[in-house]
Amino acid sequence: MNRDIYQEPLVSRYTSLEMQELFSERFKFTTWRRCWIALAEAQHELGLTMVTQEMIDELKAHADDIDFDVAAAKEKEIRHDVMAHVYAYGLQCPKAEAIIHLGATSQFVVCNTDLIIQKKALQLIKKTLINTIDNLSSFCREYKGMATLGFTHYQPAQPTTVGKRNTLYIQDLLMDLEYIEALEQQVKARGAKGTVGTQATFLELFQGDHAKVRELDRLVSEKLGFSTVFAVTGQTYPRKLDMKTAETLAGIGTSAHKFAVDVRLLSNLKVQEEPFAKKQVGSSAMAYKRNPMRSERMTGLARKLMGLPANFAATAANQWFERTLDDSAIRRMDMAQAFLLTDAILKLYVNITSDMVVYPKQVERYLRAELPFMSTEKILMACVEQGKSRQDMHEVIREHSVAAGLAVKEQGLENDLLIRLANDERVPFALNELEEMIGNYQEFTGRAAEQTDEFLDEVVGPVLEKYQDQIGGIDSSLKV
Amino acid sequence: MNRDIYQEPLVSRYTSLEMQELFSERFKFTTWRRCWIALAEAQHELGLTMVTQEMIDELKAHADDIDFDVAAAKEKEIRHDVMAHVYAYGLQCPKAEAIIHLGATSQFVVCNTDLIIQKKALQLIKKTLINTIDNLSSFCREYKGMATLGFTHYQPAQPTTVGKRNTLYIQDLLMDLEYIEALEQQVKARGAKGTVGTQATFLELFQGDHAKVRELDRLVSEKLGFSTVFAVTGQTYPRKLDMKTAETLAGIGTSAHKFAVDVRLLSNLKVQEEPFAKKQVGSSAMAYKRNPMRSERMTGLARKLMGLPANFAATAANQWFERTLDDSAIRRMDMAQAFLLTDAILKLYVNITSDMVVYPKQVERYLRAELPFMSTEKILMACVEQGKSRQDMHEVIREHSVAAGLAVKEQGLENDLLIRLANDERVPFALNELEEMIGNYQEFTGRAAEQTDEFLDEVVGPVLEKYQDQIGGIDSSLKV
Amino acid sequence: MNRDIYQEPLVSRYTSLEMQELFSERFKFTTWRRCWIALAEAQHELGLTMVTQEMIDELKAHADDIDFDVAAAKEKEIRHDVMAHVYAYGLQCPKAEAIIHLGATSQFVVCNTDLIIQKKALQLIKKTLINTIDNLSSFCREYKGMATLGFTHYQPAQPTTVGKRNTLYIQDLLMDLEYIEALEQQVKARGAKGTVGTQATFLELFQGDHAKVRELDRLVSEKLGFSTVFAVTGQTYPRKLDMKTAETLAGIGTSAHKFAVDVRLLSNLKVQEEPFAKKQVGSSAMAYKRNPMRSERMTGLARKLMGLPANFAATAANQWFERTLDDSAIRRMDMAQAFLLTDAILKLYVNITSDMVVYPKQVERYLRAELPFMSTEKILMACVEQGKSRQDMHEVIREHSVAAGLAVKEQGLENDLLIRLANDERVPFALNELEEMIGNYQEFTGRAAEQTDEFLDEVVGPVLEKYQDQIGGIDSSLKV
Amino acid sequence: MNRDIYQEPLVSRYTSLEMQELFSERFKFTTWRRCWIALAEAQHELGLTMVTQEMIDELKAHADDIDFDVAAAKEKEIRHDVMAHVYAYGLQCPKAEAIIHLGATSQFVVCNTDLIIQKKALQLIKKTLINTIDNLSSFCREYKGMATLGFTHYQPAQPTTVGKRNTLYIQDLLMDLEYIEALEQQVKARGAKGTVGTQATFLELFQGDHAKVRELDRLVSEKLGFSTVFAVTGQTYPRKLDMKTAETLAGIGTSAHKFAVDVRLLSNLKVQEEPFAKKQVGSSAMAYKRNPMRSERMTGLARKLMGLPANFAATAANQWFERTLDDSAIRRMDMAQAFLLTDAILKLYVNITSDMVVYPKQVERYLRAELPFMSTEKILMACVEQGKSRQDMHEVIREHSVAAGLAVKEQGLENDLLIRLANDERVPFALNELEEMIGNYQEFTGRAAEQTDEFLDEVVGPVLEKYQDQIGGIDSSLKV
């Protein structure tokens, strides 16, 4: 690592090697060569005699041994990266030199390579996402029945269960997964379309044979691993696709952000925590602290990720005609950043969900303190069942509960709501009846446990089943 | 219209009445009543005896005659809109008063109503989108063969055709349509889930009968027109869905923005124009101008639309636990704005594409001026076919074309590129050979016409077929 | 209020009448007339004989009685709002008819009016901002000495005071105020510049007299209340200014958002609350809740406001040459929204800070529970003073405090950190020494109280002094 | 350069070495040591005897020789970068080891260092900005009188001059400069404030001497090169400042974006171009093209830069209480990116404006083609002077000019507007009078040349004078 100039923190600190490699020069430029080979092969197979098998063999022999320095020097001179790499490849392949890139425009290699990288990167993301879902599913199953305070407005509302709450995070991630699957349908090859997408040069090469040129487009794409190809393009594949890619990734960021913020709040409540490394220092001055640093980091990374789709939308919206180059520098940064950020976030998500800590005693303590308040809806329902007006009783209960709440806050007293209600003649229940009514707090969780099981069995199960070969094998250890 | 206070321009200037009505108080509050009726019916059908058919009949009799003033006065007092409308409904339905909203939380009506509005709004959007595609298809078919300058970097590149260029706009819109269809799969009912989503109160009402409570959720949703219901929720349906909705709409904005910018550039070239009303004044000082004001407006509206998804992402990402209310005010504005903006944009898009003007003489003039340059790739290919090195000839042609280009710019001379090439001995062709080579410029458009036909027949056709009942009946007249 | 179509919630629910009026048609169009009057006067004063005093008197006589229907009908016909209003004004002023708008372009009235509206709107904002600062200052002074838990990572850190914490909100708002003052310097008149900013028509009118035309620019601006005028413009004033305006307002949104989120967290802790109306209903199902709804609303409104600057930046960045009209529709919405949102947010901010509730017993309870942890830095320092290595002792204390923390969380035990430390021979203090060391928790707040006083006296005081005529007179009552 | 993993393109392709170094680990960590030295010195000077001159000398002796590997290894172990560097420094300074970081919290070094980096980075930006203004000023002066088509709606409007148009870009940059100057006032030291900003530990160290602790804050800041220090802070300096920094930089991006888009349009018109390197290849297939690649790149980089402020706003808005760590990862990336992007953009801006090409023949050609249209306002004014109604004549001229415009577009005819007008009896002028009226097109530019001179002399001149020592010495050569 060069400490004298700026280093991208996504690389130096947060992401997996696999993802870093996908966005490396090596992967890009060797994939360009794969594109050139596929083109030559397809041209040869479709009868273009000037492209010989010997040339193709030569190209294949040098598929991976790029002389980066030669290419870089040439690029510096002519300011054109594709021509520079055509030149470098040609030096190594004297026989094929004249037919490298034959009939193609720069975007033939650039676009198809970008699409290949994105497809592969999406597969990496998908795998980590599925493993996160798997981790959360185990957690939900384990804690499906543990009653805990539910919050609305971050105020105690009705109880729910720890497992049920966590199904909501899974549900968000499942939506992300469905959008990944939808996106995979949209990622098609750019194929062999020519400068402005008309395939004019290829039609020239094939002497006006439309069928062959159309087949060339398909065949090259197939050789590059695509089952579909964009029907029409300008110079590049539609930049609108990038917007969808970025949105799909940012969706994961959004899901992760919500989870991470909840963990940070739970951590304050001392109810639930992310794992904590043994020698980890809380802070330089406050050794005892168990700061939820992974969740905080996840929050920040997600925030950045969520900011990227707007860039891609602006680029797509401002492409003039068949293409302008204001997409180049920004895509070069943002496409990599979008995938790297998602990779970093999911790595954290897998890490945290592998070993989340729950403190049952704390969970119970909070619940008990709020129980009399929690029971007001149940009491309200019971009153309505006794024929009281819902609106009237709502007001009665409201008055007493506000008063009881104030007493707690202002005087530090215990919660005496039930006594207040029992003493009010409008309430058709005695104190012991009210106390019995709230009974075991587990009852207040309604169908939370059952919902959790149903959700895991009926919704999550089939997905994990479908992707069972993707489960496991994630390195979620953190560098810093 | 009240001229003394601010008026929302989307309503006063840009959108359809249908869309404005969907986001009105009337539609919202009558749909709340539909929700309460559906709940009572479902409870009754599932055997809850305290809800009688007589009550349901009373509720249905007052489904539409809301006394808004009563509700508003109550809301001012208690600061709670749902309870205020429960109260107003109860005044009109004394028998049913006690069972309105029975076991429900506010979000039962709020969320389900929001989802109903969004579903309907999405249908409106879809219809206008399909009509835009239909308009563009006719345009593409008509102009599929008209050669025109293709641009990359907004510099003349190879020729394409007017029709082919416009297929790219359709392709973008088709991607939008596919994402609308994907979104429709995600829009599920929130159902009857209770305060924090556990259905606790309903379970109480049904005395612990899980099957019935689960069925209640499904049945209410079915009565409200939904075939699916979210498996789990907190207090609200997942805010992540809103993000997807906003992204789907913003996608349309992005597609429209690209189209509009291209029209504005074409308008400068005097090559293609949006329709122009007869008495329309170009500008106060410059009467002759035909400003592309609709495309400019479309650009601006789309820019705003494209800015909205980030808000929804932030809201989803920052919802704490089962729900916080920081979503309320912003969704109230942004969800309406997102649909209204899309409505306004598509209205313009239909309007413009209904009657786009092309000036063939201008199209040809530009093409002829650039033809010698256009032919360089063809010449390059011909040289390579003669055994010349692609790199060498690229350089030779580059030098001469740069010189010829400069002569045009600096001295206002005619383009003499072919003469320069013919005079260079490295080029293996005489002037007449070169002139013959560029021949009829139509040839330079490659497969543009064929691609257009193929695209319209194979890709667009099936979609228009599928939605043929949606075609027509759009009022695309503009207010201002 | 029309309940049949969408109503802008900013108007119907959240903002002050003053701000709504500034962005009304009435204010806009009467200001247009002010611009035309100023132009005629300046032309007359500078010796243009075709503009007579009689004409000016006629114009002034009809400055306010706009016939909106006539103008609207004309606009519908010619699709040009400025010419429509010139026409309507001319009907009322037959003598002046020929010289209304003489030599001007539409943007003469549009831009200058926009700038006048923005100036006035900024004054409204500034006044409410200053009152918020004033409220917070009183609060800080009152609570400057009340020790409370300070949080980093939302984990208990060192104590601070309630007043000191709130100085941070003031400091943010002061930065906003300074940026408002900076912005006021940037808001200059667009003046009388002509179609593309060259003043060509005016130079024609004044027969080539450059000095007079330059003076016309200045004089008109002065009459419209501006002390400075943009030196050069295209057709409009620079759209970059809008970006700065939006950023300045969004800055207020950001400050308010941070405050509101903190209040929401404090509200969960039952430590501090926003005011709560007497009959306010917490929720339909949970009567006892004191939901921080104003802070939640503030959060949502601020989120939207913070999303607007990007729109203005995009508009400024994409204005082509002397001007394109893609700015019109979006500015029409966003400039109003930006000011209305800020107005709504500050109204809430004033409302909340007028009557914030603090629960001292709760404040103390939290502090005492964390006190042994809080004291670790003090103990660390004491150990270092005894010659121990900071790093070593840091580790010793870390181990014990982590263990003590775990005991609390896992077993619900009391905090026994001091005992653990006293029992460790590496710690050079006995238990009583340690207990004495942490003594009165007030001591742990360091300079918080003094800093608060210093800040209020030295930084805030002079500002409130400067703007003392702006303090008071804010209606911060809420509609809903 | 490591080709096997992702490399940040801002570093590998676009930015200056100076800026890259500012955001390097070396600069950061050596500045941390400067902070520790400043703290020790100040403590010593204020009488803290445990900090001796000998210790300070030892610290100073090792100010720059950081053993990065030792620090990195320690960080890996304890997951705390500051403590790791305290450790590494301590190893080198055994005498001072116990007093390094004495009484400080991590953010003492982190925040103050961040602020120092930002100050220096801002100076680099300012210098390049001033040189851009200087380049543009020379260009404006040279072309102040060259008439050219002015555009509104990207339709020909009135003429302006090449120089005058370019003053608008300068005016935008001057606004940016003023906001840099405003920002420099806001960038204050974070000083020595302690964990949550109360200076509690320092007050302990100085045994309750408030005056000394206050002075410590000031003195440390002064030693670090700051004349002001934030009056109050939480754990960090206010994140709101970052938002302002990002907005200031994004403002430059916006200005550059508008300029770059205009250059790209001018390039299409063959009227004005960015410099073009001698061996530069237009495209792989179209050798003759002079693609405005620098302006396109500038557009893309600016788009990314303009997307960053929203991130900083969100971070500031979501900081909880005294500080949360969700700011860390995102600031680490975004602050560097914001400065690097601005650096890259201004490097391009200086590069392009150093040698912009104008084609006078082309400028004139466009102008002549539109001249009859251009003259309509002049003719309108002349008619009004003859007593005709402005509205009537506007309509007459509108009809004829629309007809003449259509003839050009539809039939490729010459512009015959003047003939049409002369033949209309409502127009009080003969053809020769009309032709004379439009005479020399230079006249149509109004005060453009004079405005340019006035602007350069009165507005730009004083600024360049003030910063004359900053002019020159910019390396604006491009890597790729």
Side-chain angles (χ1 to χ4, degrees), chain B residues 55-67:
Chain B
M55 291 172 181
I56 293 169
D57 293 342
E58 191 188 43
L59 289 175
K60 282 183 169 176
H62 293 280
D64 292 325
D65 59 340
I66 300 175
D67 188 333

Side-chain angles (χ1 to χ4, degrees), chain D residues 52-303:
Chain D
T52 67
Q53 186 60 45
E54 194 183 20
M55 293 172 181
I56 294 169
D57 293 342
E58 190 187 45
L59 289 175
K60 284 184 168 174
H62 293 281
D64 293 324
D65 58 341
I66 300 175
D67 188 332
F68 286 102
D69 294 336
V70 166
K74 191 70 180 178
E75 183 180 355
K76 205 173 167 54
E77 181 194 346
I78 61 173
R79 299 221 168 152
H80 200 293
D81 54 359
V82 174
M83 294 307 287
H85 276 269
V86 166
Y87 171 82
Y89 205 6
L91 280 189
Q92 293 175 314
C93 303
K95 291 173 202 153
E97 189 252 350
I99 63 97
I100 297 173
H101 195 66
L102 181 65
T105 189
S106 299
Q107 291 302 313
F108 167 67
V109 289
V110 174
C111 277
N112 284 313
T113 294
D114 277 1
L115 290 158
I116 288 168
I117 292 170
Q118 290 162 32
K119 261 180 67 177
K120 285 186 182 293
L122 214 48
Q123 282 161 3
L124 288 183
I125 294 301
K126 198 171 168 181
K127 180 178 168 62
T128 327
L129 180 63
I130 288 160
N131 278 274
T132 309
I133 293 172
D134 188 50
N135 280 353
L136 279 170
S137 296
S138 306
F139 184 84
C140 287
R141 191 75 82 177
E142 182 175 353
Y143 292 101
K144 70 179 180 187
M146 183 184 287
T148 194
L149 259 189
F151 290 102
T152 55
H153 311 265
Y154 200 17
Q155 294 289 305
Q158 283 188 334
T160 183
T161 68
V162 172
K164 166 64 201 301
R165 171 175 290 152
N166 280 267
T167 61
L168 300 180
Y169 309 128
I170 299 180
Q171 184 169 253
D172 282 354
L173 295 177
L174 287 177
M175 199 185 286
D176 293 320
L177 183 60
E178 288 176 36
Y179 271 89
I180 287 181
E181 291 171 341
L183 180 62
E184 288 176 328
Q185 297 302 312
Q186 300 287 346
V187 180
K188 302 164 191 165
R190 191 261 179 183
K193 294 284 200 306
T195 305
V196 295
T198 62
Q199 302 177 290
T201 323
F202 294 119
L203 192 64
E204 191 80 14
L205 273 175
F206 283 94
Q207 297 175 306
D209 186 332
H210 282 271
K212 278 199 174 168
V213 177
R214 204 176 182 198
E215 174 61 8
L216 179 74
D217 196 31
R218 198 202 60 74
L219 188 55
V220 166
S221 303
E222 186 185 272
K223 284 176 185 292
L224 292 173
F226 292 91
S227 58
T228 50
V229 52
F230 281 105
V232 287
T233 72
Q235 186 171 64
T236 69
Y237 72 85
R239 290 313 181 216
K240 191 174 181 59
L241 176 64
D242 290 346
M243 181 186 176
K244 292 299 169 193
T245 302
E247 287 171 351
T248 304
L249 298 175
I252 297 172
T254 307
S255 302
H257 189 289
K258 181 189 164 21
F259 166 79
V261 171
D262 280 2
V263 169
R264 292 162 56 199
L265 295 173
L266 287 167
S267 195
N268 164 268
L269 297 171
K270 303 185 181 182
V271 149
Q272 195 172 322
E273 272 176 5
E274 61 186 43
F276 202 79
K278 218 146 180 216
K279 284 230 168 187
Q280 193 173 337
V281 169
S283 83
S284 63
M286 296 157 283
Y288 57 90
K289 290 182 72 175
R290 281 214 167 184
N291 300 326
M293 287 173 59
R294 298 172 203 192
S295 304
E296 291 180 306
R297 180 183 295 170
M298 202 196 271
T299 307
L301 293 169
R303 185 177 297 142

Side-chain angles (χ1 to χ4, degrees), chain A residues 92-105:
Chain A
Q92 293 175 315
C93 304
K95 290 174 202 151
E97 188 252 351
I99 62 97
I100 297 171
H101 196 66
L102 182 65
T105 191

Side-chain angles (χ1 to χ4, degrees), chain B residues 151-158 264-265 267-270 273 276-293 296 318 320 357 359-362 365-366 369-370 373-377 380 390 394-395 397-399 401-402 406 408-412 417, chain D residues 151-158 264-265 267-270 273 276-293 296 318 320 357 359-362 365-366 369-370 373-377 380 390 394-395 397-399 401-402 406 408-412 417:
Chain B
F151 290 102
T152 55
H153 310 265
Y154 201 17
Q155 294 290 305
Q158 281 188 336
R264 291 161 58 199
L265 295 173
S267 194
N268 165 268
L269 297 172
K270 301 185 183 183
E273 271 176 6
F276 202 77
K278 217 151 186 208
K279 284 228 165 189
Q280 194 174 338
V281 170
S283 83
S284 65
M286 294 156 286
Y288 58 90
K289 291 182 71 174
R290 281 214 167 183
N291 301 326
M293 287 173 59
E296 291 180 306
N318 285 293
W320 297 345
V357 184
Y359 296 109
K361 296 276 181 196
Q362 288 286 108
R365 197 174 68 77
Y366 275 102
E370 299 290 339
F373 290 140
M374 299 287 100
S375 61
T376 53
E377 188 166 4
L380 176 63
R390 194 178 192 289
H394 192 276
E395 179 57 20
I397 292 172
R398 195 190 67 79
E399 278 171 20
S401 51
V402 166
L406 267 183
V408 170
K409 289 176 193 167
E410 290 180 352
Q411 299 150 48
L417 174 59
Chain D
F151 290 102
T152 55
H153 311 265
Y154 200 17
Q155 294 289 305
Q158 283 188 334
R264 292 162 56 199
L265 295 173
S267 195
N268 164 268
L269 297 171
K270 303 185 181 182
E273 272 176 5
F276 202 79
K278 218 146 180 216
K279 284 230 168 187
Q280 193 173 337
V281 169
S283 83
S284 63
M286 296 157 283
Y288 57 90
K289 290 182 72 175
R290 281 214 167 184
N291 300 326
M293 287 173 59
E296 291 180 306
N318 285 293
W320 297 345
V357 183
Y359 296 109
K361 297 275 183 198
Q362 287 287 107
R365 196 174 69 77
Y366 275 101
E370 299 289 338
F373 290 140
M374 299 284 102
S375 61
T376 55
E377 188 167 5
L380 176 63
R390 194 178 193 288
H394 192 275
E395 179 56 21
I397 293 173
R398 194 189 68 79
E399 278 171 18
S401 50
V402 166
L406 267 183
V408 170
K409 289 176 194 167
E410 290 179 351
Q411 300 150 47
L417 174 60

